[in-house]
Amino acid sequence: MAALTGRLETLTTDLAAAHERAERELRTAQRIQVSLMPRTFPDLGPDWQIAARYRAARSIGGDAYDVYPYKPGAQGRVGVGIADVTGKGVT
């Protein structure tokens, strides 16, 4: 019985460690994903403004976007890139 109790304690400790590793990976993935999102947007002149908000359905998401000047000097014209990728992990 002592061997079984010891094994159960070991499995519980291993499971807690694996859970903490997975949580760390998700936090890392969240930081990476947020760092890839644009923080500022091109100026479209006085009549237009761009704003964005991103919220993942889970801890992290497979979506990304970017807004960029369409071409240098083209006031009020921007390109918008929107992507949805599969896979929700760091690896």
Side-chain angles (χ1 to χ4, degrees):
M1 186 65 145
L4 185 56
T5 301
R7 180 69 180 140
L8 184 57
E9 288 174 357
T10 299
L11 289 173
T12 301
T13 301
D14 291 349
L15 182 59
H19 179 72
E20 179 55 36
R21 276 192 305 274
E23 289 294 320
R24 264 194 322 271
E25 283 188 13
L26 284 173
R27 287 191 300 271
T28 298
Q30 288 170 333
R31 284 192 304 272
I32 291 169
Q33 184 172 28
V34 169
S35 75
L36 295 173
M37 299 294 188
R39 293 174 198 232
T40 61
F41 298 102
D43 181 20
L44 294 177
D47 297 327
W48 293 89
Q49 189 176 24
I50 297 175
R53 181 171 189 267
Y54 177 78
R55 185 174 70 183
R58 298 182 192 158
S59 296
I60 61 170
D63 305 315
Y65 63 87
D66 197 5
V67 180
Y68 49 90
Y70 181 68
K71 60 182 177 180
Q75 180 67 22
R77 297 185 75 183
V78 296
V80 177
I82 301 172
D84 180 16
V85 296
T86 59
K88 304 286 193 245
V90 176
T91 56

PDB file of all heavy atoms in Angstrom, residues 44-60:
ATOM      1  N   LEU A  44      -4.930  58.335 -41.635  1.00  0.00           N
ATOM      2  CA  LEU A  44      -5.808  58.384 -42.803  1.00  0.00           C
ATOM      3  C   LEU A  44      -6.373  59.773 -43.058  1.00  0.00           C
ATOM      4  O   LEU A  44      -7.273  59.945 -43.854  1.00  0.00           O
ATOM      5  CB  LEU A  44      -6.968  57.399 -42.621  1.00  0.00           C
ATOM      6  CG  LEU A  44      -6.575  55.936 -42.587  1.00  0.00           C
ATOM      7  CD1 LEU A  44      -7.799  55.076 -42.322  1.00  0.00           C
ATOM      8  CD2 LEU A  44      -5.908  55.514 -43.871  1.00  0.00           C
ATOM      9  N   GLY A  45      -5.857  60.757 -42.351  1.00  0.00           N
ATOM     10  CA  GLY A  45      -6.367  62.108 -42.526  1.00  0.00           C
ATOM     11  C   GLY A  45      -7.413  62.416 -41.472  1.00  0.00           C
ATOM     12  O   GLY A  45      -7.744  61.594 -40.631  1.00  0.00           O
ATOM     13  N   PRO A  46      -7.980  63.610 -41.544  1.00  0.00           N
ATOM     14  CA  PRO A  46      -8.874  64.074 -40.483  1.00  0.00           C
ATOM     15  C   PRO A  46     -10.240  63.379 -40.442  1.00  0.00           C
ATOM     16  O   PRO A  46     -10.903  63.387 -39.425  1.00  0.00           O
ATOM     17  CB  PRO A  46      -9.044  65.561 -40.781  1.00  0.00           C
ATOM     18  CG  PRO A  46      -8.792  65.678 -42.247  1.00  0.00           C
ATOM     19  CD  PRO A  46      -7.756  64.632 -42.568  1.00  0.00           C
ATOM     20  N   ASP A  47     -10.662  62.752 -41.531  1.00  0.00           N
ATOM     21  CA  ASP A  47     -12.009  62.191 -41.579  1.00  0.00           C
ATOM     22  C   ASP A  47     -12.099  60.704 -41.230  1.00  0.00           C
ATOM     23  O   ASP A  47     -13.202  60.170 -41.095  1.00  0.00           O
ATOM     24  CB  ASP A  47     -12.620  62.404 -42.969  1.00  0.00           C
ATOM     25  CG  ASP A  47     -12.784  63.883 -43.289  1.00  0.00           C
ATOM     26  OD1 ASP A  47     -13.039  64.657 -42.352  1.00  0.00           O
ATOM     27  OD2 ASP A  47     -12.643  64.249 -44.470  1.00  0.00           O
ATOM     28  N   TRP A  48     -10.967  60.045 -41.109  1.00  0.00           N
ATOM     29  CA  TRP A  48     -10.979  58.601 -40.852  1.00  0.00           C
ATOM     30  C   TRP A  48     -10.031  58.253 -39.719  1.00  0.00           C
ATOM     31  O   TRP A  48      -9.007  58.891 -39.525  1.00  0.00           O
ATOM     32  CB  TRP A  48     -10.547  57.839 -42.104  1.00  0.00           C
ATOM     33  CG  TRP A  48     -11.519  57.945 -43.212  1.00  0.00           C
ATOM     34  CD1 TRP A  48     -11.552  58.906 -44.174  1.00  0.00           C
ATOM     35  CD2 TRP A  48     -12.615  57.081 -43.458  1.00  0.00           C
ATOM     36  NE1 TRP A  48     -12.598  58.688 -45.019  1.00  0.00           N
ATOM     37  CE2 TRP A  48     -13.276  57.561 -44.598  1.00  0.00           C
ATOM     38  CE3 TRP A  48     -13.100  55.941 -42.847  1.00  0.00           C
ATOM     39  CZ2 TRP A  48     -14.385  56.946 -45.131  1.00  0.00           C
ATOM     40  CZ3 TRP A  48     -14.218  55.326 -43.372  1.00  0.00           C
ATOM     41  CH2 TRP A  48     -14.844  55.834 -44.497  1.00  0.00           C
ATOM     42  N   GLN A  49     -10.370  57.194 -39.040  1.00  0.00           N
ATOM     43  CA  GLN A  49      -9.523  56.701 -37.961  1.00  0.00           C
ATOM     44  C   GLN A  49      -9.660  55.180 -37.905  1.00  0.00           C
ATOM     45  O   GLN A  49     -10.749  54.642 -38.130  1.00  0.00           O
ATOM     46  CB  GLN A  49      -9.978  57.318 -36.641  1.00  0.00           C
ATOM     47  CG  GLN A  49      -9.058  57.060 -35.496  1.00  0.00           C
ATOM     48  CD  GLN A  49      -9.520  57.791 -34.247  1.00  0.00           C
ATOM     49  OE1 GLN A  49     -10.691  58.119 -34.099  1.00  0.00           O
ATOM     50  NE2 GLN A  49      -8.602  58.034 -33.361  1.00  0.00           N
ATOM     51  N   ILE A  50      -8.580  54.504 -37.621  1.00  0.00           N
ATOM     52  CA  ILE A  50      -8.592  53.044 -37.504  1.00  0.00           C
ATOM     53  C   ILE A  50      -8.382  52.675 -36.040  1.00  0.00           C
ATOM     54  O   ILE A  50      -7.525  53.244 -35.368  1.00  0.00           O
ATOM     55  CB  ILE A  50      -7.480  52.394 -38.346  1.00  0.00           C
ATOM     56  CG1 ILE A  50      -7.693  52.677 -39.826  1.00  0.00           C
ATOM     57  CG2 ILE A  50      -7.425  50.897 -38.102  1.00  0.00           C
ATOM     58  CD1 ILE A  50      -6.578  52.170 -40.708  1.00  0.00           C
ATOM     59  N   ALA A  51      -9.149  51.713 -35.586  1.00  0.00           N
ATOM     60  CA  ALA A  51      -8.969  51.167 -34.244  1.00  0.00           C
ATOM     61  C   ALA A  51      -9.158  49.662 -34.348  1.00  0.00           C
ATOM     62  O   ALA A  51      -9.832  49.165 -35.244  1.00  0.00           O
ATOM     63  CB  ALA A  51      -9.971  51.768 -33.269  1.00  0.00           C
ATOM     64  N   ALA A  52      -8.561  48.935 -33.441  1.00  0.00           N
ATOM     65  CA  ALA A  52      -8.697  47.480 -33.459  1.00  0.00           C
ATOM     66  C   ALA A  52      -8.698  46.949 -32.033  1.00  0.00           C
ATOM     67  O   ALA A  52      -8.115  47.554 -31.132  1.00  0.00           O
ATOM     68  CB  ALA A  52      -7.555  46.862 -34.251  1.00  0.00           C
ATOM     69  N   ARG A  53      -9.341  45.831 -31.876  1.00  0.00           N
ATOM     70  CA  ARG A  53      -9.357  45.140 -30.599  1.00  0.00           C
ATOM     71  C   ARG A  53      -9.264  43.660 -30.909  1.00  0.00           C
ATOM     72  O   ARG A  53      -9.929  43.163 -31.819  1.00  0.00           O
ATOM     73  CB  ARG A  53     -10.655  45.423 -29.847  1.00  0.00           C
ATOM     74  CG  ARG A  53     -10.706  44.748 -28.502  1.00  0.00           C
ATOM     75  CD  ARG A  53     -11.907  45.255 -27.716  1.00  0.00           C
ATOM     76  NE  ARG A  53     -11.861  44.784 -26.363  1.00  0.00           N
ATOM     77  CZ  ARG A  53     -12.445  43.673 -25.939  1.00  0.00           C
ATOM     78  NH1 ARG A  53     -13.094  42.912 -26.785  1.00  0.00           N
ATOM     79  NH2 ARG A  53     -12.371  43.329 -24.676  1.00  0.00           N
ATOM     80  N   TYR A  54      -8.451  42.979 -30.139  1.00  0.00           N
ATOM     81  CA  TYR A  54      -8.295  41.544 -30.334  1.00  0.00           C
ATOM     82  C   TYR A  54      -8.534  40.839 -29.014  1.00  0.00           C
ATOM     83  O   TYR A  54      -7.987  41.224 -27.986  1.00  0.00           O
ATOM     84  CB  TYR A  54      -6.885  41.215 -30.855  1.00  0.00           C
ATOM     85  CG  TYR A  54      -6.679  39.741 -31.000  1.00  0.00           C
ATOM     86  CD1 TYR A  54      -7.203  39.060 -32.088  1.00  0.00           C
ATOM     87  CD2 TYR A  54      -6.017  39.018 -30.028  1.00  0.00           C
ATOM     88  CE1 TYR A  54      -7.056  37.698 -32.210  1.00  0.00           C
ATOM     89  CE2 TYR A  54      -5.861  37.650 -30.150  1.00  0.00           C
ATOM     90  CZ  TYR A  54      -6.382  36.991 -31.239  1.00  0.00           C
ATOM     91  OH  TYR A  54      -6.242  35.643 -31.351  1.00  0.00           O
ATOM     92  N   ARG A  55      -9.348  39.802 -29.048  1.00  0.00           N
ATOM     93  CA  ARG A  55      -9.568  38.979 -27.869  1.00  0.00           C
ATOM     94  C   ARG A  55      -9.660  37.535 -28.333  1.00  0.00           C
ATOM     95  O   ARG A  55     -10.546  37.178 -29.120  1.00  0.00           O
ATOM     96  CB  ARG A  55     -10.845  39.387 -27.149  1.00  0.00           C
ATOM     97  CG  ARG A  55     -11.038  38.628 -25.846  1.00  0.00           C
ATOM     98  CD  ARG A  55     -12.216  39.140 -25.088  1.00  0.00           C
ATOM     99  NE  ARG A  55     -13.432  38.759 -25.820  1.00  0.00           N
ATOM    100  CZ  ARG A  55     -14.634  39.110 -25.446  1.00  0.00           C
ATOM    101  NH1 ARG A  55     -14.811  39.877 -24.414  1.00  0.00           N
ATOM    102  NH2 ARG A  55     -15.692  38.719 -26.131  1.00  0.00           N
ATOM    103  N   ALA A  56      -8.759  36.715 -27.856  1.00  0.00           N
ATOM    104  CA  ALA A  56      -8.739  35.306 -28.238  1.00  0.00           C
ATOM    105  C   ALA A  56      -9.900  34.567 -27.589  1.00  0.00           C
ATOM    106  O   ALA A  56     -10.297  34.863 -26.460  1.00  0.00           O
ATOM    107  CB  ALA A  56      -7.416  34.668 -27.809  1.00  0.00           C
ATOM    108  N   ALA A  57     -10.450  33.594 -28.286  1.00  0.00           N
ATOM    109  CA  ALA A  57     -11.536  32.786 -27.738  1.00  0.00           C
ATOM    110  C   ALA A  57     -11.015  31.883 -26.624  1.00  0.00           C
ATOM    111  O   ALA A  57     -11.731  31.568 -25.678  1.00  0.00           O
ATOM    112  CB  ALA A  57     -12.168  31.939 -28.839  1.00  0.00           C
ATOM    113  N   ARG A  58      -9.767  31.481 -26.737  1.00  0.00           N
ATOM    114  CA  ARG A  58      -9.120  30.663 -25.704  1.00  0.00           C
ATOM    115  C   ARG A  58      -7.966  31.478 -25.149  1.00  0.00           C
ATOM    116  O   ARG A  58      -7.917  32.675 -25.291  1.00  0.00           O
ATOM    117  CB  ARG A  58      -8.615  29.363 -26.316  1.00  0.00           C
ATOM    118  CG  ARG A  58      -9.719  28.511 -26.894  1.00  0.00           C
ATOM    119  CD  ARG A  58      -9.145  27.232 -27.438  1.00  0.00           C
ATOM    120  NE  ARG A  58     -10.150  26.537 -28.236  1.00  0.00           N
ATOM    121  CZ  ARG A  58      -9.864  25.658 -29.147  1.00  0.00           C
ATOM    122  NH1 ARG A  58      -8.610  25.350 -29.409  1.00  0.00           N
ATOM    123  NH2 ARG A  58     -10.822  25.078 -29.830  1.00  0.00           N
ATOM    124  N   SER A  59      -7.031  30.795 -24.530  1.00  0.00           N
ATOM    125  CA  SER A  59      -5.864  31.502 -23.987  1.00  0.00           C
ATOM    126  C   SER A  59      -5.108  32.243 -25.077  1.00  0.00           C
ATOM    127  O   SER A  59      -4.644  33.354 -24.886  1.00  0.00           O
ATOM    128  CB  SER A  59      -4.917  30.529 -23.295  1.00  0.00           C
ATOM    129  OG  SER A  59      -5.554  29.944 -22.192  1.00  0.00           O
ATOM    130  N   ILE A  60      -4.960  31.569 -26.210  1.00  0.00           N
ATOM    131  CA  ILE A  60      -4.367  32.202 -27.385  1.00  0.00           C
ATOM    132  C   ILE A  60      -5.257  31.881 -28.572  1.00  0.00           C
ATOM    133  O   ILE A  60      -6.059  30.963 -28.526  1.00  0.00           O
ATOM    134  CB  ILE A  60      -2.912  31.751 -27.651  1.00  0.00           C
ATOM    135  CG1 ILE A  60      -2.841  30.252 -27.895  1.00  0.00           C
ATOM    136  CG2 ILE A  60      -2.009  32.170 -26.527  1.00  0.00           C
ATOM    137  CD1 ILE A  60      -1.508  29.788 -28.389  1.00  0.00           C
TER     138      ILE A  60
END
